[in-house]
Amino acid sequence: MEKLVLAADHGGFELKEFIKKIIAGLGGYEILDLGTNSTGSVDYPEYGQRAAETVVSGQAERGIIFCGTGIGISIAANKVKGIRAANCTSELMAEMSRRHNNANILALGGRIVEPELAKKIVKIWLDTPFDGGRHEQRVAQIE
Ligand code: RB5
């Protein structure tokens, strides 16, 4: 079972809850939910950092993080060495973030992406492997 970490601030809380149910329904994933667990205001950098550290430490293989726009929490997650967090608003972005960038975290904006589109984005992101090949050296250059 692949381990996935989820984390959100208040702006991403509702979408996190929706996506958590979708992933549970897919089967094959163990979910580690770091919160937040309400719409009460919290600071997205803390949640982005915790999710990122969960991935780089190997406690989860990949992560999905949420804030209002997906921007702040992805910026925070990308400060952690080894993280390639991609804030995606389309299925093509999600697919390419895996194929070319080997993104290990997907970021979604709860105030940007409608739940049905988010569901499609998550599914394609989970299912798409890294292409490797010429993209290996570019990803290595990021590190
Ligand atoms: C919180 O109001 C909001 O700033 C946050 O969810 C996110 O959109 C930041 O990028």
Side-chain angles (χ1 to χ4, degrees), residues 81-92:
K81 189 167 169 56
I83 289 302
R84 294 174 301 281
N87 186 20
C88 297
T89 57
S90 73
E91 290 174 84
L92 179 60

Side-chain angles (χ1 to χ4, degrees), residues 9-11 44 67-73 111:
D9 78 349
H10 52 289
Y44 61 80
C67 68
T69 58
I71 296 171
I73 201 161
R111 297 171 184 154

Side-chain angles (χ1 to χ4, degrees), residues 6-7 24 32 35 37 42 44 65 72 79 85 103-104 137 141:
L6 304 187
L32 176 58
N37 296 311
V42 293
Y44 61 80
I65 58 179
K79 294 288 179 189
N104 49 11
Q137 64 172 3
Q141 281 172 12

Side-chain angles (χ1 to χ4, degrees), residues 10 25 35 86 90 94 96 139 142:
H10 52 289
S90 73
M96 299 315 288
V139 169
I142 296 171

Side-chain angles (χ1 to χ4, degrees), residues 19-20 28 42-44 46 48 63 66 78 84 87 104 108 110:
I19 291 298
K20 187 162 68 170
V42 293
D43 297 326
Y44 61 80
E46 288 180 27
F66 310 77
N78 276 317
R84 294 174 301 281
N87 186 20
N104 49 11
L108 293 169

